[in-house]
Amino acid sequence: SNQQNLTVNAVGTYTLTVTKNDTGCEATDQITIQAGNCEYDLALIKVLAPDQSSSVQIGETVNFIVKVTNQGQTNSGTFTVTDRLPSGMSFVSADNGGTHNNNIVTWQLDNLASGDFIELAISATIDELGTGKYVNWAEISADSGDDDDSTPDSNTGIGFVAPNDLVENHNDMMLDNSLTDEDDNDFEEIFIDRTVNLLTRVYLQGPLLNPDDAGGMNDTPLMNDNLREDNLIPESNPYTTATYVQHEGFESVESEVFNVTGADAIVDWVLIEIRDYVNPAQIVATRAALLQRDGDVVDVDGTSPVTFGEVEEGYYQIAIRHRNHLGAMTQIPAYLARENSTPIDFTSPATTTYGSFAQTEMSNSVMALWAGATGNDQNIIFQGNDNGLSEIFFSILQDPNNTNTDIGYISTGYYLGDTDLDCSAIYQGNQNDPNTLFFNVLSHPSNINNLINFTIEGTIPD
């Protein structure tokens, strides 16, 4: 060549000869051309997004970052990044053009500058407990062929099965000192916070006395859901201000949960207490939850068992309360485990409750919480000090719509004095609420003298 600067297109060892034309003198040398100064070198790591904990709950969305950097001396060619979500996780979103198909997320990328990096965000939801641990892999699954220390392929790791190439750079993008370290894949782990779950059932006497449908009192009794039908159930739990409980939670519900009808329609809020089995007066944890017409108690999503993330496995007493019914507690401690939900069925006569006559037996042999605890103190008193009639009386008399202060007025709303939860507080007249207190007091098994001033006391220890 007559060019001063020669160009070759492939690595190798060359013989270079320089000839001086007018004399015929020449010089020869061997030159080795290497590609180290003209290749790109991609490296990948997978990490949790900032502020994302590695300990998550079932149903929670987890945010990951796949970071790819170019450690080489020239811009990259085209390359593909693949993230394979394991079974039990479902795709939510991916940025930078990531596409999702059958739990595999793919990015097609190009021209990553020397020394630059790109962060690919991906979010997925935890659908089930599984083994309690999820391993999520990402890999550079294809490139233009110029990255010599990688062998991209479709063998991306999934779950506990590693890909076919070693990972020596876990969460470390700069480690590149081994011939077996291909730098093109990495994984991240998350751990499921195994909460204890309760599958609880309970009936309220009041809405069973007025079931509001022809099929309400059959083999599977259904309580009325009048409060839901009239949009009176609050979206936030009503127990934070109750004087008879120790509950500081602020559970709330999406309004769509109240759109469900039928046996799973919501009747009202209830409160569950986890208590020490040696000293039942000691409350370990509380959760406000939702009561369905068929007696099932569910979490605020309207379907799931009620979870207690802060409770350790072990034996506990379980108590359940309602704002105008007497609460009840199990007599025999229940073992709460993190592997399975623990069923507690207060509707069954076979479930022994703490104290005497903690519940009332209905005509179809199911058990229900006593109605009429309208005084916000978990006692039922018809006559005497702190009687429950006062709550009914004043809720009607002070109703802003009762302009004539008529004691026969029917107040519509979410009242403690509405003992059958039919949306109406009635002091006098048909279907009046004091009748519930009267007949419960008069017929209570402990009121052997049929005293009208007898007090039905709550059985849950203070």
Side-chain angles (χ1 to χ4, degrees):
S1 171
N2 60 1
Q3 300 296 316
Q4 182 178 5
N5 297 311
L6 303 183
T7 300
V8 294
N9 296 319
V11 298
T13 300
Y14 293 83
T15 299
L16 176 64
T17 301
V18 180
T19 302
K20 191 172 186 304
N21 289 339
D22 59 347
T23 64
C25 295
E26 63 179 34
T28 301
D29 200 358
Q30 296 262 312
I31 295 178
T32 300
I33 304 297
Q34 297 178 334
N37 293 328
C38 59
E39 70 173 7
Y40 65 84
D41 182 10
L42 299 178
L44 176 148
I45 61 171
K46 182 163 188 177
V47 296
L48 295 171
D51 300 324
Q52 173 65 60
S53 172
S54 62
S55 178
V56 298
Q57 302 277 354
I58 297 175
E60 184 176 339
T61 296
V62 186
N63 301 306
F64 299 98
I65 297 292
V66 179
K67 184 175 181 180
V68 182
T69 189
N70 184 357
Q71 299 174 335
Q73 292 78 36
T74 188
N75 290 5
S76 77
T78 59
F79 61 97
T80 303
V81 174
T82 299
D83 188 296
R84 189 185 296 270
L85 298 175
S87 176
M89 296 182 71
S90 57
F91 173 78
V92 175
S93 64
D95 67 358
N96 284 299
T99 60
H100 169 254
N101 182 35
N102 196 28
N103 251 25
I104 297 176
V105 183
T106 303
W107 291 267
Q108 302 292 345
L109 303 166
D110 187 21
N111 199 35
L112 184 60
S114 172
D116 202 358
F117 67 87
I118 186 171
E119 291 187 344
L120 311 172
I122 178 173
S123 298
T125 299
I126 305 298
D127 298 324
E128 57 191 44
L129 176 62
T131 64
K133 173 182 174 181
Y134 282 86
V135 183
N136 193 192
W137 290 88
E139 181 167 355
I140 300 173
S141 55
D143 71 19
S144 59
D146 296 329
D147 188 353
D148 282 350
D149 72 347
S150 295
T151 53
D153 54 44
S154 59
N155 191 303
T156 305
I158 178 169
F160 294 98
V161 180
N164 59 347
D165 41 8
L166 296 178
V167 178
E168 296 183 5
N169 64 327
H170 179 49
N171 287 167
D172 181 3
M173 190 165 283
M174 300 313 296
L175 180 61
D176 194 17
N177 56 3
S178 170
L179 294 177
T180 58
D181 180 20
E182 298 186 352
D183 274 347
D184 62 1
N185 64 72
D186 198 16
F187 63 92
E188 190 52 75
E189 298 173 331
I190 53 174
F191 302 89
I192 309 303
D193 183 4
R194 298 188 180 191
T195 62
V196 297
N197 304 314
L198 280 178
L199 287 170
T200 313
R201 294 192 73 231
V202 72
Y203 280 129
L204 305 179
Q205 180 193 25
L208 273 184
L209 292 171
N210 181 17
D212 197 35
D213 71 350
M217 299 298 287
N218 50 32
D219 291 339
T220 304
L222 299 179
M223 295 172 281
N224 76 58
D225 62 334
N226 294 11
L227 293 175
R228 181 200 66 82
E229 290 179 340
D230 286 6
N231 298 315
L232 293 175
I233 304 177
E235 293 183 7
S236 297
N237 87 80
Y239 296 102
T240 54
T241 59
T243 59
Y244 57 88
V245 296
Q246 304 172 29
H247 182 60
E248 298 179 353
F250 292 92
E251 295 88 349
S252 61
V253 62
E254 298 291 337
S255 60
E256 290 79 8
V257 172
F258 297 138
N259 294 335
V260 176
T261 60
D264 291 337
I266 302 303
V267 174
D268 201 1
W269 288 91
V270 292
L271 185 73
I272 299 177
E273 296 173 340
I274 308 296
R275 290 171 169 252
D276 186 85
Y277 83 97
V278 176
N279 177 18
Q282 179 182 343
I283 297 175
V284 177
T286 60
R287 281 294 307 276
L290 299 172
L291 175 63
Q292 297 178 341
R293 293 188 66 194
D294 59 3
D296 291 337
V297 178
V298 294
D299 217 325
V300 293
D301 63 357
T303 58
S304 302
V306 183
T307 62
F308 292 83
E310 69 276 27
V311 175
E312 298 294 331
E313 290 187 329
Y315 285 96
Y316 298 93
Q317 304 284 62
I318 311 301
I320 192 162
R321 297 182 183 269
H322 181 259
R323 58 193 176 88
N324 64 8
H325 286 62
L326 290 184
M329 186 181 75
T330 55
Q331 172 69 44
I332 301 173
Y335 188 82
L336 304 186
R338 293 183 179 271
E339 296 293 337
N340 302 293
S341 298
T342 303
I344 306 292
D345 190 357
F346 285 96
T347 73
S348 171
T351 299
T352 307
T353 48
Y354 188 87
S356 299
F357 308 111
Q359 296 190 94
T360 180
E361 184 173 355
M362 306 298 289
S363 59
N364 48 13
S365 299
V366 298
M367 306 304 292
L369 301 184
W370 290 96
T374 60
N376 204 16
D377 58 2
Q378 288 291 279
N379 292 320
I380 299 177
I381 304 173
F382 181 77
Q383 192 177 79
N385 294 333
D386 300 320
N387 69 78
L389 299 186
S390 297
E391 174 64 32
I392 306 171
F393 178 83
F394 286 109
S395 63
I396 292 170
L397 207 63
Q398 297 172 358
D399 189 322
N401 295 317
N402 186 6
T403 55
N404 295 322
T405 59
D406 180 7
I407 196 59
Y409 183 81
I410 298 176
S411 292
T412 301
Y414 191 74
Y415 293 116
L416 286 175
D418 176 16
T419 58
D420 58 3
L421 308 191
D422 66 350
C423 306
S424 300
I426 306 174
Y427 187 75
Q428 287 182 345
N430 293 331
Q431 296 183 328
N432 70 78
D433 292 290
N435 275 349
T436 303
L437 281 71
F438 176 81
F439 287 110
N440 277 346
V441 166
L442 203 63
S443 62
H444 194 274
S446 296
N447 187 7
I448 56 177
N449 295 318
N450 301 118
L451 300 175
I452 198 63
N453 61 351
F454 179 81
T455 297
I456 305 176
E457 297 181 350
T459 57
I460 299 177
D462 296 327

